[in-house]
Amino acid sequence: MNSATVRNLLVRGMLAGLAAGVLALVVAYFLGEPNVDTAIGLEEAHTHTHGDLGADAGGGHDEEEVVSRSLQSTAGLATGILVYGVAFGGIAALAFCFALGRIGRFGPRATALLLSGCALLAVYVVPYLKYPVNPPAVGDPDTIGKRTTLYFLMMVLSVLLAIAATLLGKRLAPALGTWYATVAAVAAFAVAVGLAYAFLPVINEVPDDFPATLLWRFRLSALAIQTVLWGGLGLFLGELAERLLNPKAVPSEPGGAVPAAR
């Protein structure tokens, strides 16, 4: 690809990320935010209970809210998801430029969708299964730095292992064939991820009295948001890339003028 094509794909990737971010925002607002509100209510009730006990003992005070909850759940949520979508859309577009034609005989749509699925797995699902997200009222504030570091370490390991598995599959393909090489690469990736799971420390800070149903709904909604984001990114990027790279393969508009034969 020449630089102009890469630049055009980069712009389309960012637009695709923005569109996918809008879809994810809808899911986050209607599916995720109610669970966040419930968890915050539990946290506030717990804080007030201990605050009343502290006040009775001669201490305790109310903390001023820096950012209102309404702003967090609207403008803050939209900004975070849309910026996330645009940023990863640009990264996905650059990865698409490198992968197209190198990972099999796939067209632009299939390549974009395959990349988005692999990215969802490597960037989110694998770290999520080891260190799942927690709602408010769950987790020790003193360990947030450690938890964040471990999560990003798992994410980096997952991405590097996914790249290594892809290279392994390409290396084995001439000898084993595409099918068996893919199976071997996936198996090697699974084994390596399993070893990382075994050696990295376990973190479990969920209080015994925290509702299991709420925890499950929160984590499921977080997974749904990421699935919609990456799935939408793959579909939108694939369609935009197809129209750019293979304009003749895109159906013409209904009722469009048909060139007269000469």
Side-chain angles (χ1 to χ4, degrees), residues 238-250:
E239 184 62 28
L240 293 176
E242 185 78 34
R243 291 174 179 272
L244 175 67
L245 300 175
N246 298 321
K248 294 181 180 180
V250 179

Side-chain angles (χ1 to χ4, degrees), residues 32 37 225:
D37 288 336
I225 293 167

Side-chain angles (χ1 to χ4, degrees), residues 3-256:
S3 59
T5 302
V6 173
R7 183 171 61 252
N8 288 334
L9 283 172
L10 177 61
V11 173
R12 283 162 172 77
M14 296 173 72
L15 291 175
L18 180 62
V22 172
L23 295 180
L25 176 61
V26 173
V27 176
Y29 185 79
F30 289 103
L31 187 61
E33 284 302 305
N35 297 318
V36 175
D37 288 336
T38 304
I40 289 176
L42 291 174
E43 184 181 30
E44 289 177 347
H46 181 77
T47 301
H48 288 162
T49 300
H50 285 269
D52 292 341
L53 293 176
D56 292 340
H61 59 278
D62 295 332
E63 294 184 358
E64 183 180 356
E65 189 177 33
V66 178
V67 180
S68 68
R69 173 61 189 147
S70 61
L71 184 61
Q72 293 176 12
S73 62
T74 52
L77 178 67
T79 301
I81 291 181
L82 295 180
V83 169
Y84 182 92
V86 170
F88 275 97
I91 295 173
L94 296 178
F96 173 86
C97 294
F98 176 80
L100 185 62
R102 290 186 172 94
I103 58 174
R105 296 179 180 178
F106 300 109
R109 290 190 182 104
T111 300
L113 200 56
L114 180 62
L115 278 178
S116 66
C118 292
L120 173 65
L121 177 67
V123 175
Y124 188 77
V125 173
V126 170
Y128 170 91
L129 293 177
K130 176 63 178 178
Y131 300 113
V133 294
N134 289 324
V138 173
D140 183 0
D142 295 334
T143 64
I144 188 171
K146 175 184 176 181
R147 287 184 279 124
T148 302
T149 300
L150 288 173
Y151 180 86
F152 278 101
L153 175 61
M154 189 68 243
M155 184 174 67
V156 171
L157 283 175
S158 176
V159 172
L160 293 178
L161 290 174
I163 294 173
T166 302
L167 296 176
L168 176 64
K170 297 226 14 119
R171 179 68 64 88
L172 295 176
L176 301 180
T178 302
W179 171 255
Y180 289 108
T182 302
V183 171
V186 171
F189 176 76
V191 170
V193 169
L195 291 174
Y197 280 7
F199 284 102
L200 288 176
V202 176
I203 295 178
N204 182 16
E205 298 180 350
V206 180
D208 295 334
D209 58 347
F210 192 86
T213 303
L214 176 59
L215 181 64
W216 168 252
R217 288 202 309 264
F218 180 87
R219 289 177 173 176
L220 192 62
S221 64
L223 182 60
I225 293 167
Q226 292 290 330
T227 302
V228 169
L229 178 67
W230 286 101
L233 176 58
L235 291 173
F236 290 131
L237 176 59
E239 184 62 28
L240 293 176
E242 185 78 34
R243 291 174 179 272
L244 175 67
L245 300 175
N246 298 321
K248 294 181 180 180
V250 179
S252 60
E253 295 294 332

